[in-house]
Amino acid sequence: MTITLHNTLTRKKEPFVPIDPANVRMYLCGPTVYDRAHLGNARPVLVFDVLYRLLRHTYGADHVTYVRNFTDVDDKINATALAHQQAGAPGTLEDLVAERTDETIAWYHADMDALGALRPDHEPRATEYIAQMVAMIDGLIKDGYAYENEGHVLFRVRKYSEYGALSGRSVDDMIAGARVEVAPYKEDPMDFVLWKPSSDDLPGWDSPWGRGRPGWHIECSAMAYELLGDRFDIHGGGNDLQFPHHENEIAQSKCAGHGFANVWLHNEMLQVEGKKMSKSLGNFFTVRDLLEDGVPGEVIRFVMLATHYRKPMDWTEKKREESSKTLMDWLHVLKKHGYTPKMVKQLKAEGQWSGDGELLGTLSNDLNTPGALARMHVLAKARTAEGLVPLAHALELLGLVADWSLVDLTPSQDVKMADWVPAVIDRLIEERGAARAAKNWGEADRLRDLLNSAGVQVTDIGGSATWAPGPDFDPAKLEGLT
Ligand code: AMP
Ligand code: ZN
């Protein structure tokens, strides 16, 4: 199965050809850890989790390396620690920074685990790779791509002629559109910080340029090089990181002589009333808020996957309701056809656990998750193993079911449903619908009572009805109706 991906660099959908199929390598810019992740932050995590799962499915679980970093040194983190100290928290600023970053990483893990995101193979913390950053910066200075001034080290943007290629804009256009900081230690306002001085109370490391800390961009370049090598396959992140973060990563890494990433993938933004959800705008709610409101992680995940990653999306109550209902319907269909955790295990052991070709093709087409979900609707309508095994397979592949033993698929009674049962129930429900449409209430009631007497639970949603075996399910009551 060929995977195609939309490469931001070429602005085209391209067949994905890994550098080494035995080790497909992917880097995603991770969070700056000073606060709970908001729902927008979960979008890249889920998009790249689906890609990670698809790559593992295609190339083998042991043949994919996924790196997602933690930015645990940053001015916002320092500001948060300072605010805590001013509010009376005990300890030095450095202690408070360490406490806050550790705590935020634990929150992040708990929240993303709840969304069914697999942990990446490596989750480097920037502060553990300072030596590699210093070495890279040192090389850039020696080769004339960077310069030191007043304890700062800056990258000479004009030295890299391809700067702007990712966003497709010229340096001058970017300066006009961006809030570039003019500073006395910069040769050019466009130059960006690789290293800056730290005051004694802030986290800092010794370097050839004095005690200081790295800029944000160099962190990703150094960690990606250290963990994925000179050239790797995929680099991802949100659209908002294209410029300046990703342009800067490319400039540094290329000028340091590295091949860097072949394919660049960017997810669109999660929005609130047409505006990007962000901490700075204050228009956010956290993943934890939703989980605490009782929205299951699987439902949050479903809502996210229902929109293609290159389209902006909103979180709405309606989407939450519909996603929840669909997911429950699918699980019920599986349940009433006897797809118990035991049976899933058996299917896997017997080599009968296989996906649907059309669905995999759709997903491989630039991660068309809404298309894959649409295909699952079709599969769920099937009453045979041909539809239901691929449905169950897809639920697992998309991370909507992590562990079958946690899903309540065990029928309340040991229902051994004969083939004719679902067909008869479907027919009775259809006849009941027709009677209701014809305002033939007597007949509609008779059919409802018949279904009730057999313990069939019917739910009417919109114009259609679904059913599930209730606790008193007794298909024998329907015998003779075939
Ligand atoms: P940050 O911690 O702000 O650097 O963001 C971490 C990740 O979340 C980055 O990949 C951002 O692109 C992504 N991100 C931030 N806000 C949103 C949003 N509203 N929608 C989608 N992705 C976002
Ligand atoms: Zn990055």
Side-chain angles (χ1 to χ4, degrees), residues 27 29 216 220 235 245-246 249:
Y27 185 95
C29 296
W216 171 34
C220 288
H235 192 311
H245 184 54
H246 289 164
E249 280 189 35

Side-chain angles (χ1 to χ4, degrees), residues 29-32 38 40-41 43-44 216 237-241 267-270 276-278:
C29 296
T32 304
H38 64 62
N41 298 134
R43 193 169 189 197
W216 171 34
N239 257 351
D240 56 339
L241 300 187
N267 63 274
E268 251 295 352
M269 293 293 104
L270 184 104
K276 170 189 167 187
M277 177 180 279
S278 74

Side-chain angles (χ1 to χ4, degrees), residues 82-267:
L82 187 63
H84 276 221
Q85 196 179 51
Q86 283 165 351
T92 64
L93 262 190
E94 272 195 89
D95 293 339
L96 292 171
V97 163
E99 248 170 54
R100 187 63 177 185
T101 52
D102 286 350
E103 183 177 41
T104 309
I105 289 173
W107 288 338
Y108 192 80
H109 276 148
D111 295 348
M112 298 310 138
D113 288 354
L115 300 183
L118 299 173
R119 297 270 180 104
D121 300 284
H122 301 280
E123 294 183 281
R125 291 176 69 140
T127 51
E128 288 164 2
Y129 291 80
I130 302 288
Q132 288 86 343
M133 294 172 206
V134 168
M136 201 175 222
I137 297 170
D138 205 34
L140 288 169
I141 295 178
K142 290 205 170 94
D143 291 340
Y145 293 109
Y147 56 95
E148 185 203 353
N149 202 351
E150 297 174 26
H152 291 73
V153 181
L154 293 124
F155 186 90
R156 262 186 198 109
V157 168
R158 304 260 179 199
K159 278 282 278 187
Y160 180 59
S161 61
E162 285 170 53
Y163 194 89
L166 184 71
S167 349
R169 290 185 292 172
S170 72
V171 175
D172 294 312
D173 282 353
M174 287 188 193
I175 295 178
R179 280 176 290 147
V180 286
E181 198 192 344
V182 184
Y185 48 80
K186 284 187 179 181
E187 286 176 5
D188 186 309
M190 199 60 190
D191 294 349
F192 60 85
V193 169
L194 299 172
W195 188 264
K196 61 180 152 189
S198 275
S199 56
D200 287 345
D201 53 341
L202 288 176
W205 293 262
D206 289 331
S207 80
W209 323 288
R211 186 174 178 278
R213 58 191 195 275
W216 171 34
H217 317 298
I218 195 74
E219 298 177 10
C220 288
S221 285
M223 289 185 281
Y225 176 60
E226 181 71 19
L227 294 165
L228 296 176
D230 179 67
R231 186 179 269 282
F232 54 94
D233 297 290
I234 299 169
H235 192 311
N239 257 351
D240 56 339
L241 300 187
Q242 256 182 62
F243 172 77
H245 184 54
H246 289 164
E247 294 284 5
N248 293 356
E249 280 189 35
I250 293 173
Q252 299 158 159
S253 291
K254 293 277 187 186
C255 293
H258 305 315
F260 214 42
N262 278 355
V263 181
W264 284 82
L265 238 61
H266 290 99
N267 63 274

